[in-house]
């Protein structure tokens, strides 16, 4: 499917009218849409609305123009890599073509075309640039339609979970009323059935709440809130929310120095909340011993680790547990919805990191995840 006229247009920025006219004539003979720009500003504006390629002669660009254009090109979306054909002078280096060498480096997807230019060479280079650009636009359309399909699915999951709550609430209320007001009419088995109904409704409510939390992660991202989080504070908040379970289990938790990272603090809190809750929940015979730490990940940022001495996970399940609703135990043994790790994975992957576990059954687990860094927070706990 062809894109807009702008997306099929080649923009030309050449200072001498003769050069530009020659290029326009050569391209229009080949049925290629071409437009000339009289200034770099006009070129930048044109590129903003979409372009097939740009043809620029090196003497048209001052070094400031090169920097401005480079900045403009750097802000392109991920699918976009605008082809630029840079017309250079053949022969001895001059101040102009020295600057074109630098321009070629900073402008990215640049093809150098030496003058005098043969029309055939120009047409072949422009056609190849346009073909590459059309593939980029195709990629953008695919990505947009995929994103649309994902949003619709998420919207569906959200509405479905939301609509399920009301009948569920009724089940819980009426089973409670039945037990309360008709207790005498119920024998022991009847009362037991009522309890099962109530417990199942409660469990379904938890599942739906967790599913809603998972689908809401997308809404969170549209808010554009500050994206730095102090990991030490997030851990502290997570520990506070788990204080009852920590006290009951006799867990000892050690927290090393933690950095400030590029991530929303609600998200980092959610990760620690899930990992620490699991470290306490999936404990063995001994009271939980948990350690939270961070170390630098070369060329990326930080690698966090949450280490426990719990029941551990067999190697064959170590990837599967990050999937939605994937659990290794019955609800009677360990309660849960199988969504916590899926939420962690989604958050981490969206910020460009990864999450994984290293574990041996019976010998504890260490969950790792990576995050881009900001700066080291002073001190630490533990
Ligand atoms: P939930 O805890 O609600 O079941 P999660 O998505 O948090 O869901 O975890 C998925 C599964 O991974 C759990 O059911 C459990 O079997 C396993 N798991 C998670 N964390 C640990 C841990 N620290 N030690 C052992 N098993 C774990």
């Amino acid at each position: 499917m062809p894109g807009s006229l702008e997306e099929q247009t080649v923009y030309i920025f050449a200072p001498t009218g003769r050069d530009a006219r020659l290029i326009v004539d050569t391209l229009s003979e080949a049925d290629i849409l071409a437009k000339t720009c009289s200034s770099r500003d006009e070129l930048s504006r044109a590129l903003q609305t979409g372009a097939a390629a740009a043809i620029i002669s090196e003497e048209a660009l001052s070094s400031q123009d090169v920097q401005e254009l480079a900045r403009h090109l750097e802000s392109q979306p991920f699918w976009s890599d605008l082809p630029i054909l840079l017309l250079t002078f053949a022969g001895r280096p001059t101040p102009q073509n020295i600057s074109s060498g630098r321009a070629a480096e900073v402008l990215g997807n640049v093809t150098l075309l030496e003058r005098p230019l043969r029309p055939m060479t120009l047409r072949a280079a422009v056609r190849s640039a346009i073909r590459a650009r059309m593939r980029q636009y195709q990629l953008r359309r695919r990505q947009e339609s995929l994103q649309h399909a994902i949003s619709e699915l998420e919207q569906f999951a959200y509405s479905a979970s939301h609509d399920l709550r009301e009948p569920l609430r009724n089940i819980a209320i009426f089973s409670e009323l039945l037990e309360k007001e008709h207790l005498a009419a119920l024998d022991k088995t009847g009362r037991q059935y009522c309890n099962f109904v109530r417990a199942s409704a409660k469990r379904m409510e938890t599942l739906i709440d967790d599913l809603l939390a998972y689908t809401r992660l997308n809404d969170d991202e549209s808010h554009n809130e500050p994206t730095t989080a102090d990991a030490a504070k997030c851990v502290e908040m997570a520990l506070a929310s788990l204080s009852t379970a920590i006290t009951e289990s006799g867990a000892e938790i050690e927290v090393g120095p933690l950095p400030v990272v590029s991530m929303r603090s609600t998200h980092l809190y959610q990760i620690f909340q899930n990992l620490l809750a699991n470290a306490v929940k999936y404990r063995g015979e001994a009271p939980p011993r948990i350690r939270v730490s961070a170390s630098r990940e070369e060329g990326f940022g930080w690698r966090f680790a949450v280490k426990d001495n719990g029941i551990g996970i067999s190697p064959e399940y170590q990837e599967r547990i990050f999937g939605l609703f994937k659990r290794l135990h019955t609800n009677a043994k360990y309660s849960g919805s199988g969504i916590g790790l899926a939420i962690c994975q989604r958050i981490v992957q969206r910020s460009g990191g990864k999450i994984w576990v290293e574990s041996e059954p019976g010998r504890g687990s260490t969950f790792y995840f990576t995050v881009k860094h900001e700066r080291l927070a002073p001190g630490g706990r533990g």
Side-chain angles (χ1 to χ4, degrees):
M1 187 177 65
S4 65
L5 275 185
E6 285 89 356
E7 288 177 2
Q8 297 173 54
T9 302
V10 175
Y11 290 92
I12 301 155
F13 181 38
T16 62
R18 197 178 145 272
D19 250 0
R21 259 200 315 279
L22 211 76
I23 298 168
V24 173
D25 290 348
T26 308
L27 297 186
S28 61
E29 273 165 30
D31 285 334
I32 296 169
L33 287 173
K35 265 191 192 160
T36 51
C37 301
S38 54
S39 67
R40 207 253 318 136
D41 272 351
E42 195 184 334
L43 175 70
S44 294
R45 274 199 302 279
L47 298 184
Q48 243 153 26
T49 54
I55 301 177
I56 304 172
S57 61
E58 63 178 350
E59 66 278 18
L61 294 178
S62 67
S63 58
Q64 196 195 342
D65 285 334
V66 172
Q67 296 310 322
E68 294 281 328
L69 200 56
R71 255 196 299 280
H72 173 86
L73 292 169
E74 263 168 31
S75 63
Q76 297 178 100
F78 84 92
W79 53 266
S80 177
D81 192 15
L82 181 79
I84 294 178
L85 305 175
L86 196 63
L87 305 181
T88 64
F89 288 112
R92 277 188 305 132
T94 68
Q96 278 91 348
N97 55 26
I98 286 170
S99 86
S100 84
R102 262 186 272 129
E105 276 166 32
V106 293
L107 295 179
N109 187 4
V110 171
T111 306
L112 299 178
L113 294 177
E114 264 189 12
R115 285 172 285 189
L117 204 56
R118 287 169 59 207
M120 216 173 88
T121 314
L122 176 67
R123 279 196 296 268
V126 171
R127 283 210 180 95
S128 144
I130 291 177
R131 268 198 305 278
R133 186 62 168 167
M134 291 308 125
R135 280 197 294 275
Q136 293 174 18
Y137 282 126
Q138 217 170 14
L139 183 70
R140 178 189 65 180
R141 274 190 286 277
R142 283 213 192 123
Q143 200 248 343
E144 281 170 354
S145 65
L146 199 65
Q147 198 51 50
H148 182 70
I150 291 172
S151 308
E152 286 206 326
L153 261 176
E154 279 168 353
Q155 190 53 43
F156 166 76
Y158 181 79
S159 317
S161 333
H162 204 262
D163 293 352
L164 284 172
R165 283 176 133 184
E166 198 200 322
L168 194 60
R169 211 169 299 130
N170 286 340
I171 295 173
I173 291 170
F174 284 104
S175 61
E176 213 166 301
L177 282 178
L178 188 66
E179 211 187 335
K180 240 190 227 160
E181 294 177 12
H182 302 273
L183 192 66
L186 292 174
D187 61 4
K188 193 174 159 225
T189 318
R191 282 200 291 274
Q192 209 175 28
Y193 288 172
C194 266
N195 276 336
F196 286 152
V197 172
R198 254 212 336 264
S200 298
K202 186 90 207 110
R203 170 148 174 73
M204 184 115 174
E205 212 178 313
T206 312
L207 282 171
I208 287 175
D209 284 348
D210 287 354
L211 193 58
L212 278 171
Y214 182 82
T215 55
R216 273 198 205 113
L217 283 177
N218 239 11
D219 295 353
D220 289 356
E221 266 147 37
S222 54
H223 289 162
N224 263 348
E225 280 178 28
T227 50
T228 51
D230 181 340
K233 280 198 189 129
C234 294
V235 169
E236 211 169 292
M237 275 161 55
L239 292 177
S241 78
L242 297 166
S243 60
T244 312
I246 290 172
T247 312
E248 278 172 9
S249 62
E252 271 181 29
I253 297 154
E254 192 193 336
V255 183
L258 299 178
V260 172
V261 290
S262 301
M263 183 181 269
R264 290 195 45 201
S265 54
T266 44
H267 284 172
L268 191 58
Y269 161 76
Q270 265 177 302
I271 297 176
F272 282 124
Q273 214 276 344
N274 281 307
L275 296 183
L276 289 165
N278 284 348
V280 175
K281 179 164 60 168
Y282 298 104
R283 60 180 175 271
E285 297 295 318
R289 296 285 173 270
I290 300 165
R291 179 169 161 73
V292 184
S293 58
S295 57
R296 279 200 182 267
E297 178 87 345
E298 203 49 48
F300 185 77
W302 293 94
R303 185 176 76 165
F304 290 92
V306 177
K307 182 177 168 53
D308 66 50
N309 62 337
I311 57 174
I313 304 159
S314 294
E316 68 266 35
Y317 300 122
Q318 288 175 10
E319 271 187 40
R320 211 182 298 172
I321 51 170
F322 294 95
L324 209 52
F325 298 124
K326 294 289 184 279
R327 311 201 65 232
L328 307 180
H329 312 277
T330 62
N331 203 50
K333 194 156 185 204
Y334 296 99
S335 69
S337 54
I339 292 179
L341 288 180
I343 288 181
C344 296
Q345 185 178 52
R346 193 167 191 198
I347 294 172
V348 171
Q349 285 182 346
R350 282 181 175 219
S351 68
K354 51 188 179 142
I355 183 166
W356 71 101
V357 64
E358 285 172 13
S359 176
E360 241 184 88
R363 308 198 58 174
S365 313
T366 307
F367 283 82
Y368 296 98
F369 64 97
T370 54
V371 180
K372 289 178 202 142
H373 68 93
E374 285 293 314
R375 64 196 159 82
L376 186 66
R381 282 168 38 121

